[in-house]
Amino acid sequence: MTIIRQQSLFGIQELYEMEPTQRYESIIFAVDLDSIYLEINKQLRLGAPVELNYAAMIISMFVRIVERIPTIKDLIKRLNDDFVFKLNCGFLVSDNTPSEAAYFRVLTRLSDSKILEKEQEKVVLQAIAEGFITDDTVAIDATHFEARGQAPPKEEKPKSEPKKRGRKSKDEREQWLIEQAEKEANLPIFEKKIEAQLDVPLAELRAEVPRDPKWGVKKNSEGKNVFWYGYKGHLAVGTSSQYILQSLFSSGSLNDGKAAIPLLKGVDELPLPFLRYEVMDAGYDYEPFYEQVHRMGNLSVIAYNKKNESEPIGFDKNFAPTCFREHTYRYDSFDTKYETLKYTRPKEYSDCPLANEGICHKVYKVKITTDLRRYTAPARGSEAWKKLFKRRSAVERVNAYLKEFFQLNNVRYRTGKRAKVHFDIVTLIYNASKLAVDRINVLLNQQQAA
């Protein structure tokens, strides 16, 4: 019997086992350092000394993430103590080690610009151009991480005035509705209802995201509330390539669902010809998300959250039609041209005593646009739907990678502005590492073929 040997791919773990010089070069080569250098380079004669090696400082800040060095202070100590490490970071023999204040000035310049977001997009576009991102499914989820410093006490909601008993008069109700509409219109975009984001441009949504550290709450596996003070990272990940296609940094208090539409709009702007499905858990089960995905020409695979809703008569819990004896019709196919789900007779039809009564329809069709939330393609509960939903684990895997290998949960700054720089560097270096690994795999395959 012939033994077939399974080919193993070079992964991120193997990248970390390489020699430091090779590892740094492979990752940094995937990033356009010149653009970042020009963004922060000294243009004025006043202020910080111009003899600082800014290019090497940028590299060392990236290497700090790769080497899991906790703080800038520890990075400076490593540069002073390890001469080879200092050279690997791009410093010259004659260069003095920058001070902690110099590094913080660089961080301030980065926080005042959008260069890291632009470089993140460049890496993704480069990976698409080189054929490493060919995903047909994107998974969206959020992860939380704590802020540096002591958290303030949780604010108690002010007690509202007791409501007046009795029904309002017609004039009072009209006045109350006008006041509520004005109040809603004056709210920031992320405090309005989610559907208000549908027609807002992506650039405006990203600019309005709240970023200050706040108290957040999330239910754990036991159903209990877990509180933390800090931030959230929202990711849209290709389920096959596991690249971060879009990312969003926010306060910990922002509902996960309110970050989904900016992520979806960002994904829609990428040249992804094979993209077909968006996968999310039950926390994203809101009608505006289905609408946004439908506008993109894609299909939603989102777990259903009943929200105290009763099951419609004539349908099962997955909204598949049922026969007279409440047997479920079987999902058959989806017609993309007419956006129609097709169901066939239940498997119990052959033994049904009412089979010859003409009660049971042979085929049942329903357009998904009747209710985008209930009627998804593939149909809810079908094997095809379950298979697609399992791909959501890709975004959870990436979240774990960011925390374990890339220091996402090691934010050393007290302000959201600088914490966002940390988040942007982490996601940028993760994608750069993925691109480096894919390029190494291509070279290995070419060598094996030769």
Side-chain angles (χ1 to χ4, degrees), residues 250-271:
S250 76
S251 300
S253 60
L254 185 71
N255 183 280
D256 292 358
K258 291 194 174 181
I261 287 182
L263 293 175
L264 289 170
K265 288 189 174 186
V267 169
D268 193 34
E269 292 186 355
L270 295 174

mmCIF file of all heavy atoms in Angstrom, residues 250-271:
data_model
loop_
_atom_site.group_PDB
_atom_site.id
_atom_site.type_symbol
_atom_site.label_atom_id
_atom_site.label_comp_id
_atom_site.label_asym_id
_atom_site.label_seq_id
_atom_site.Cartn_x
_atom_site.Cartn_y
_atom_site.Cartn_z
ATOM 1 N N SER A 250 -12.527 50.438 19.290
ATOM 2 C CA SER A 250 -13.584 51.222 19.926
ATOM 3 C C SER A 250 -13.490 51.132 21.439
ATOM 4 O O SER A 250 -12.729 50.331 21.999
ATOM 5 C CB SER A 250 -14.957 50.723 19.474
ATOM 6 O OG SER A 250 -15.296 49.511 20.133
ATOM 7 N N SER A 251 -14.303 51.954 22.104
ATOM 8 C CA SER A 251 -14.455 51.863 23.557
ATOM 9 C C SER A 251 -15.074 50.517 23.922
ATOM 10 O O SER A 251 -15.792 49.907 23.128
ATOM 11 C CB SER A 251 -15.351 52.989 24.061
ATOM 12 O OG SER A 251 -14.807 54.247 23.760
ATOM 13 N N GLY A 252 -14.816 50.081 25.149
ATOM 14 C CA GLY A 252 -15.359 48.813 25.598
ATOM 15 C C GLY A 252 -16.865 48.827 25.737
ATOM 16 O O GLY A 252 -17.491 47.768 25.741
ATOM 17 N N SER A 253 -17.465 50.000 25.828
ATOM 18 C CA SER A 253 -18.911 50.091 26.021
ATOM 19 C C SER A 253 -19.698 49.981 24.719
ATOM 20 O O SER A 253 -20.916 49.828 24.746
ATOM 21 C CB SER A 253 -19.267 51.420 26.701
ATOM 22 O OG SER A 253 -18.839 52.512 25.894
ATOM 23 N N LEU A 254 -19.027 50.056 23.572
ATOM 24 C CA LEU A 254 -19.736 50.003 22.299
ATOM 25 C C LEU A 254 -20.270 48.600 22.046
ATOM 26 O O LEU A 254 -19.542 47.610 22.133
ATOM 27 C CB LEU A 254 -18.812 50.416 21.152
ATOM 28 C CG LEU A 254 -19.480 50.514 19.779
ATOM 29 C CD1 LEU A 254 -20.408 51.715 19.729
ATOM 30 C CD2 LEU A 254 -18.440 50.610 18.671
ATOM 31 N N ASN A 255 -21.551 48.524 21.731
ATOM 32 C CA ASN A 255 -22.163 47.240 21.404
ATOM 33 C C ASN A 255 -21.490 46.629 20.181
ATOM 34 O O ASN A 255 -21.192 47.330 19.207
ATOM 35 C CB ASN A 255 -23.657 47.444 21.149
ATOM 36 C CG ASN A 255 -24.375 46.142 20.864
ATOM 37 O OD1 ASN A 255 -24.326 45.621 19.760
ATOM 38 N ND2 ASN A 255 -25.050 45.619 21.870
ATOM 39 N N ASP A 256 -21.244 45.312 20.230
ATOM 40 C CA ASP A 256 -20.575 44.637 19.115
ATOM 41 C C ASP A 256 -21.281 44.914 17.793
ATOM 42 O O ASP A 256 -20.643 45.131 16.756
ATOM 43 C CB ASP A 256 -20.537 43.129 19.357
ATOM 44 C CG ASP A 256 -19.625 42.745 20.514
ATOM 45 O OD1 ASP A 256 -18.996 43.660 21.092
ATOM 46 O OD2 ASP A 256 -19.540 41.548 20.836
ATOM 47 N N GLY A 257 -22.612 44.901 17.833
ATOM 48 C CA GLY A 257 -23.385 45.075 16.618
ATOM 49 C C GLY A 257 -23.200 46.418 15.950
ATOM 50 O O GLY A 257 -23.325 46.536 14.731
ATOM 51 N N LYS A 258 -22.897 47.453 16.717
ATOM 52 C CA LYS A 258 -22.777 48.783 16.131
ATOM 53 C C LYS A 258 -21.469 48.981 15.364
ATOM 54 O O LYS A 258 -21.279 50.028 14.743
ATOM 55 C CB LYS A 258 -22.918 49.844 17.219
ATOM 56 C CG LYS A 258 -24.326 49.912 17.791
ATOM 57 C CD LYS A 258 -24.566 51.146 18.614
ATOM 58 C CE LYS A 258 -26.039 51.240 19.036
ATOM 59 N NZ LYS A 258 -26.322 52.445 19.816
ATOM 60 N N ALA A 259 -20.585 47.988 15.395
ATOM 61 C CA ALA A 259 -19.340 48.076 14.618
ATOM 62 C C ALA A 259 -19.409 47.244 13.345
ATOM 63 O O ALA A 259 -18.485 47.290 12.538
ATOM 64 C CB ALA A 259 -18.164 47.613 15.469
ATOM 65 N N ALA A 260 -20.498 46.495 13.146
ATOM 66 C CA ALA A 260 -20.562 45.561 12.021
ATOM 67 C C ALA A 260 -20.706 46.268 10.681
ATOM 68 O O ALA A 260 -20.060 45.887 9.699
ATOM 69 C CB ALA A 260 -21.708 44.577 12.227
ATOM 70 N N ILE A 261 -21.552 47.295 10.613
ATOM 71 C CA ILE A 261 -21.772 47.961 9.326
ATOM 72 C C ILE A 261 -20.504 48.658 8.816
ATOM 73 O O ILE A 261 -20.179 48.553 7.626
ATOM 74 C CB ILE A 261 -22.968 48.931 9.420
ATOM 75 C CG1 ILE A 261 -24.274 48.115 9.480
ATOM 76 C CG2 ILE A 261 -22.995 49.902 8.240
ATOM 77 C CD1 ILE A 261 -25.539 48.929 9.530
ATOM 78 N N PRO A 262 -19.719 49.369 9.660
ATOM 79 C CA PRO A 262 -18.441 49.899 9.158
ATOM 80 C C PRO A 262 -17.516 48.808 8.637
ATOM 81 O O PRO A 262 -16.841 48.995 7.612
ATOM 82 C CB PRO A 262 -17.842 50.599 10.391
ATOM 83 C CG PRO A 262 -19.013 50.951 11.233
ATOM 84 C CD PRO A 262 -20.004 49.850 11.031
ATOM 85 N N LEU A 263 -17.478 47.648 9.320
ATOM 86 C CA LEU A 263 -16.643 46.546 8.843
ATOM 87 C C LEU A 263 -17.138 46.032 7.493
ATOM 88 O O LEU A 263 -16.347 45.784 6.577
ATOM 89 C CB LEU A 263 -16.638 45.409 9.868
ATOM 90 C CG LEU A 263 -15.960 45.694 11.212
ATOM 91 C CD1 LEU A 263 -16.145 44.508 12.152
ATOM 92 C CD2 LEU A 263 -14.480 45.996 11.039
ATOM 93 N N LEU A 264 -18.444 45.864 7.376
ATOM 94 C CA LEU A 264 -19.013 45.367 6.120
ATOM 95 C C LEU A 264 -18.767 46.341 4.973
ATOM 96 O O LEU A 264 -18.422 45.933 3.854
ATOM 97 C CB LEU A 264 -20.516 45.130 6.295
ATOM 98 C CG LEU A 264 -20.919 43.943 7.180
ATOM 99 C CD1 LEU A 264 -22.414 43.978 7.463
ATOM 100 C CD2 LEU A 264 -20.535 42.622 6.529
ATOM 101 N N LYS A 265 -18.926 47.635 5.240
ATOM 102 C CA LYS A 265 -18.689 48.630 4.195
ATOM 103 C C LYS A 265 -17.219 48.654 3.787
ATOM 104 O O LYS A 265 -16.894 48.841 2.606
ATOM 105 C CB LYS A 265 -19.126 50.014 4.682
ATOM 106 C CG LYS A 265 -20.635 50.174 4.767
ATOM 107 C CD LYS A 265 -21.037 51.610 5.051
ATOM 108 C CE LYS A 265 -22.560 51.764 4.987
ATOM 109 N NZ LYS A 265 -23.002 53.153 5.109
ATOM 110 N N GLY A 266 -16.333 48.452 4.753
ATOM 111 C CA GLY A 266 -14.909 48.388 4.432
ATOM 112 C C GLY A 266 -14.573 47.173 3.589
ATOM 113 O O GLY A 266 -13.788 47.256 2.629
ATOM 114 N N VAL A 267 -15.159 46.029 3.917
ATOM 115 C CA VAL A 267 -14.944 44.810 3.133
ATOM 116 C C VAL A 267 -15.465 44.995 1.711
ATOM 117 O O VAL A 267 -14.853 44.539 0.740
ATOM 118 C CB VAL A 267 -15.640 43.606 3.809
ATOM 119 C CG1 VAL A 267 -15.663 42.394 2.886
ATOM 120 C CG2 VAL A 267 -14.932 43.252 5.113
ATOM 121 N N ASP A 268 -16.590 45.701 1.581
ATOM 122 C CA ASP A 268 -17.198 45.901 0.268
ATOM 123 C C ASP A 268 -16.309 46.721 -0.656
ATOM 124 O O ASP A 268 -16.437 46.625 -1.891
ATOM 125 C CB ASP A 268 -18.563 46.583 0.441
ATOM 126 C CG ASP A 268 -19.395 46.541 -0.825
ATOM 127 O OD1 ASP A 268 -19.301 45.542 -1.569
ATOM 128 O OD2 ASP A 268 -20.140 47.501 -1.076
ATOM 129 N N GLU A 269 -15.422 47.532 -0.101
ATOM 130 C CA GLU A 269 -14.545 48.358 -0.923
ATOM 131 C C GLU A 269 -13.310 47.606 -1.409
ATOM 132 O O GLU A 269 -12.560 48.123 -2.236
ATOM 133 C CB GLU A 269 -14.119 49.609 -0.143
ATOM 134 C CG GLU A 269 -15.265 50.578 0.129
ATOM 135 C CD GLU A 269 -14.807 51.878 0.769
ATOM 136 O OE1 GLU A 269 -13.592 51.977 1.079
ATOM 137 O OE2 GLU A 269 -15.640 52.784 0.955
ATOM 138 N N LEU A 270 -13.087 46.405 -0.907
ATOM 139 C CA LEU A 270 -11.929 45.609 -1.318
ATOM 140 C C LEU A 270 -12.251 44.810 -2.583
ATOM 141 O O LEU A 270 -13.388 44.369 -2.766
ATOM 142 C CB LEU A 270 -11.516 44.648 -0.209
ATOM 143 C CG LEU A 270 -11.009 45.274 1.095
ATOM 144 C CD1 LEU A 270 -10.785 44.207 2.156
ATOM 145 C CD2 LEU A 270 -9.718 46.051 0.860
ATOM 146 N N PRO A 271 -11.255 44.598 -3.451
ATOM 147 C CA PRO A 271 -11.485 43.792 -4.664
ATOM 148 C C PRO A 271 -11.491 42.298 -4.340
ATOM 149 O O PRO A 271 -10.480 41.613 -4.482
ATOM 150 C CB PRO A 271 -10.301 44.174 -5.559
ATOM 151 C CG PRO A 271 -9.213 44.567 -4.610
ATOM 152 C CD PRO A 271 -9.895 45.176 -3.413
#
